[in-house]
Amino acid sequence: MVYLVGAGPGDIELFTLKAINILKKADVILYDALVNPEFTIFCKKDSIKINVGKRKGKHLKNQEEINDLLVKYAKEKEIVVRLKGGTPFVFGRGYEEVKALKKIGITPVVISGVSSTTSVPESFMIPSIDRSFSDSYRTITGHDLTIFNEIVTSYHERENLIIMMGAYKAKEIVQSLLKKGFPKTTPIAYLSKGTTLEQQCIILTLEDVYNKNEEFFLQLRELTPIITFVGKTINALKY
């Protein structure tokens, strides 16, 4: 049996009971770079643990290699876990792994995790939805500006943007939002390492970021993983 398991946003106490119970039985665990390394406290001592993490500019394994490892161990071991940051199907390429396993006749079990898209803002007391400020939110990748610009086409006053993997395109994202009619005073928050002891929050306006020098953006990249939150709901922190 193969399990795709969400490890949550970082805090080890945000692992689900279901995830912990499967890790206790697993013979092999293929885990991501952003998974809290303390997960090993839940594992059998003799289990095989393989870091297959992918970070900007440093991929221990590419996706094809990860798929191949899953297929290999699925044929050799009784219980295999693919441990993914957040939850498997949100920016996790989880379904690519499902398809690779289905090709050999194995349909994995998916165990959802706590998604960082909402739990990280919550860890800084920023609500994704608050009736005083917003009615909706959109979650979008920030590493591909072409996709970003196709999806975010205009400003909606009562909608928040939750931008994943946008630290390396932070300057271009803000320039794009201003061109699309976002007010200069729109709050923007950079949420670093949310739910962990190292978490940091930087709150500015789009105009503030637009006027920053290159040193700011270099420092921002050092704080990854970062979630970028754009919207008036950040103002809820004032109350």
Side-chain angles (χ1 to χ4, degrees):
M1 182 63 73
V2 180
Y3 295 87
L4 270 60
V5 179
D11 184 348
I12 195 69
E13 291 186 300
L14 290 177
F15 271 58
T16 66
L17 287 174
K18 203 165 199 176
I20 291 170
N21 288 334
I22 292 301
L23 285 171
K24 288 177 179 178
K25 304 173 186 176
D27 301 302
V28 180
I29 304 102
L30 308 179
Y31 64 96
D32 281 344
L34 294 180
V35 170
N36 189 321
E38 293 179 33
F39 81 88
T40 56
I41 64 175
F42 305 128
C43 302
K44 297 190 298 184
K45 289 184 180 180
D46 61 347
S47 62
I48 300 169
K49 305 168 191 70
I50 304 172
N51 186 346
V52 295
K54 300 192 292 290
R55 295 296 301 276
K56 179 74 174 178
K58 185 180 180 181
H59 288 197
L60 296 178
K61 301 287 183 185
N62 63 39
Q63 190 59 53
E64 290 70 27
E65 290 173 320
I66 294 171
N67 293 349
D68 290 344
L69 281 172
L70 275 172
V71 168
K72 165 184 161 61
Y73 284 113
K75 293 176 179 178
E76 296 176 359
K77 301 294 183 179
E78 186 175 348
I79 297 179
V80 178
V81 166
R82 174 72 175 97
L83 189 60
K84 306 174 76 67
T87 195
F89 290 166
V90 178
F91 299 114
R93 302 185 72 170
Y95 207 76
E96 295 179 38
E97 296 164 355
V98 170
K99 288 188 287 186
L101 290 163
K102 280 187 173 182
K103 285 181 180 178
I104 62 166
I106 294 175
T107 299
V109 174
V110 177
I111 297 178
S112 299
V114 176
S115 177
S116 61
T117 59
T118 51
S119 62
V120 166
E122 285 172 355
S123 72
F124 294 98
M125 295 292 286
I126 299 175
S128 300
I129 299 290
D130 181 276
R131 65 180 180 174
S132 298
F133 301 99
S134 59
D135 305 304
S136 66
Y137 67 90
R138 270 194 282 182
T139 303
I140 183 172
T141 174
H143 76 86
D144 188 322
L145 286 177
T146 300
I147 294 174
F148 182 86
N149 287 323
E150 287 176 354
I151 294 175
V152 183
T153 57
S154 60
Y155 172 64
H156 300 278
E157 183 179 6
R158 292 184 62 83
E159 179 179 73
N160 297 310
L161 293 180
I162 299 173
I163 306 168
M164 311 295 290
M165 301 170 286
Y168 283 80
K169 302 285 186 181
K171 185 175 184 179
E172 292 86 349
I173 286 170
V174 166
Q175 290 172 340
S176 173
L177 294 177
L178 290 171
K179 285 180 182 177
K180 294 175 191 301
F182 281 66
K184 294 179 180 179
T185 55
T186 303
I188 181 169
Y190 296 102
L191 311 177
S192 168
K193 301 180 175 66
T195 78
T196 74
L197 294 176
E198 299 176 354
Q199 71 176 31
Q200 296 184 53
C201 177
I202 302 170
I203 298 177
L204 300 164
T205 66
L206 294 183
E207 183 176 34
D208 292 333
V209 180
Y210 181 82
N211 291 325
K212 291 291 184 182
N213 58 29
E214 195 59 33
E215 183 180 355
F216 169 80
F217 297 104
L218 291 173
Q219 291 174 345
L220 204 59
R221 293 169 190 171
E222 293 297 317
L223 295 176
T224 55
I226 279 177
I227 288 178
T228 306
F229 192 107
V230 181
K232 291 174 64 177
T233 307
I234 296 169
N235 290 328
L237 291 173
K238 297 177 183 179
Y239 302 97

